[in-house]
Amino acid sequence: MTSLPRDVFKWLQSLDLTFPIRNVRRDFSNGYLVAEIFSWYYPQDIQMHSYDNCNGLPGKVGNWSQLKTFFKRRSIDIPQELVEGTIHAKPDAAELLVQFLYTKLTNRKIKRLALDHEIDFTDHRYQMSLPIHARATASMAVKTNVKITEAMTEPNLITGQQRAQEIIHKRIQHRQEERLEDPDRFCIKPTIGQQCIRKPPMQPGHEQDEEIASSSRQEQGSPVTQKQWTPPAEQTRSESQEKSKSPSLVHFKEVNVNQLDHVAQQVSRRGMTSSPVLPPIGSQLAQSELLYKNWPKEICS
């Protein structure tokens, strides 16, 4: 009863229930005390002889099925998550249900809620109170947070897989938070990107401050050189003009080529033979005629 506010605790004591409440999660799971509370406000609709104070799953399901029909007939809106969590004795579910019934039946507001942490119907709060080496693994978290009664009431495999996947996803998120909080324990070294020095981008206000500072320097006489931005097309043009103006570093060498006589080529083509060794016949006749013309007349006679 220490997890309930004092106002709710006094309200339960004023109802004069049949047996005292020692463990909220265990005592409210079968729905018998919930039916007894509503019997004080709706005595004609709820008869206590039709409810069984038992610990078995069939008795719990029977009691809550009668309560659900009563809630529907009286238009009492109670979240289904609170009901399912109370049946399967999930952490913090029964406490929230009792506080909800208190505000619904008495029209009062609770000054202080006993549950000031994240409500997810798991043992995350208890695990956070333990040291890191004593906390449960992912498989142990699925085993403790997924009750066997849930598989018995809803034997659908897809819903069971979804519940287990949600618990594993939360476990992975908590593990990542632990790594960020204590990187030395997990031997996490910073990456190259994290080690780099990052400069913040220049804001518009700082640019104006720099312009004012540069103008003040010019007035004082200090030379300030600023590089103006030029479009890429103009940069390429200026580079090409500078290259054309600069003297070329390539040295050219003159080569004299001896051209053949066209007349000799024509004569050689006419008297061309297929033999690669002997000279052509036409060339021999032409040489002999030239020699005969150039010889002196005395020798010829």
Side-chain angles (χ1 to χ4, degrees), residues 17-287:
L17 300 176
T18 54
F19 60 92
I21 300 171
R22 294 183 177 88
N23 190 343
V24 180
R25 189 188 306 179
R26 183 190 61 206
D27 295 338
F28 279 89
S29 63
N30 58 5
Y32 183 82
L33 289 179
V34 178
E36 190 174 359
I37 289 170
F38 276 100
S39 66
W40 285 90
Y41 294 91
Y42 302 95
Q44 296 179 356
D45 297 334
I46 292 179
Q47 305 295 328
M48 291 306 300
H49 60 83
S50 59
Y51 292 90
D52 186 14
N53 187 12
C54 61
N55 294 323
L57 182 62
K60 292 180 180 180
V61 174
N63 291 341
W64 280 104
S65 63
Q66 295 183 43
L67 288 172
K68 287 178 183 178
T69 55
F70 165 72
F71 296 153
K72 187 176 181 180
R73 185 170 61 250
R74 286 289 182 176
S75 300
I76 299 173
D77 188 11
I78 294 179
Q80 185 66 21
E81 296 178 355
L82 291 179
V83 175
E84 295 294 333
T86 306
I87 293 172
H88 304 298
K90 290 293 188 70
D92 304 332
E95 291 84 348
L96 284 174
L97 179 64
V98 175
Q99 293 179 23
F100 182 81
L101 296 178
Y102 171 77
T103 56
K104 198 79 174 177
L105 296 174
T106 60
N107 294 324
R108 298 175 185 175
K109 293 183 180 180
I110 301 174
K111 296 180 181 179
R112 180 181 58 85
L113 286 174
L115 301 174
D116 54 352
H117 57 278
E118 184 182 357
I119 300 168
D120 52 0
F121 299 148
T122 59
D123 62 342
H124 173 63
R125 184 184 182 187
Y126 171 70
Q127 294 294 330
M128 289 295 105
S129 63
L130 297 175
I132 297 176
H133 66 274
R135 294 175 185 174
T137 58
S139 60
M140 194 66 184
V142 173
K143 184 178 179 181
T144 54
N145 294 313
V146 178
K147 304 293 183 180
I148 191 171
T149 54
E150 294 180 350
M152 294 173 66
T153 53
E154 294 182 5
N156 191 357
L157 296 176
I158 296 174
T159 55
Q161 290 176 358
Q162 290 177 355
R163 290 169 184 167
Q165 195 66 29
E166 288 178 359
I167 294 169
I168 293 171
H169 182 65
K170 289 179 181 179
R171 174 62 184 166
I172 292 171
Q173 288 182 348
H174 299 327
R175 194 70 171 177
Q176 291 176 355
E177 292 175 0
E178 291 174 2
R179 288 175 176 268
L180 292 174
E181 291 175 358
D182 192 4
D184 296 334
R185 176 179 175 80
F186 298 95
C187 298
I188 298 173
K189 297 181 180 180
T191 60
I192 297 175
Q194 293 175 354
Q195 292 178 357
C196 293
I197 300 172
R198 300 181 182 274
K199 295 181 179 180
M202 190 66 69
Q203 297 181 359
H206 294 286
E207 293 178 357
Q208 295 178 0
D209 296 339
E210 288 186 357
E211 291 178 358
I212 294 168
S214 62
S215 61
S216 63
R217 289 174 186 172
Q218 290 178 358
E219 291 177 357
Q220 292 177 2
S222 60
V224 178
T225 58
Q226 292 183 356
K227 187 176 180 180
Q228 296 180 355
W229 180 82
T230 56
E234 294 182 1
Q235 288 181 359
T236 53
R237 289 177 186 174
S238 61
E239 290 177 359
S240 61
Q241 290 177 1
E242 290 177 358
K243 289 180 181 179
S244 62
K245 291 179 181 179
S246 62
S248 60
L249 300 176
V250 182
H251 299 282
F252 296 96
K253 184 179 180 180
E254 294 182 0
V255 179
N256 295 324
V257 180
N258 295 324
Q259 296 182 357
L260 297 175
D261 190 3
H262 296 287
V263 178
Q265 288 180 358
Q266 291 177 1
V267 173
S268 64
R269 286 177 183 174
R270 290 175 185 175
M272 189 177 296
T273 59
S274 61
S275 176
V277 178
L278 297 175
I281 299 172
S283 62
Q284 292 179 359
L285 292 172
Q287 290 178 1

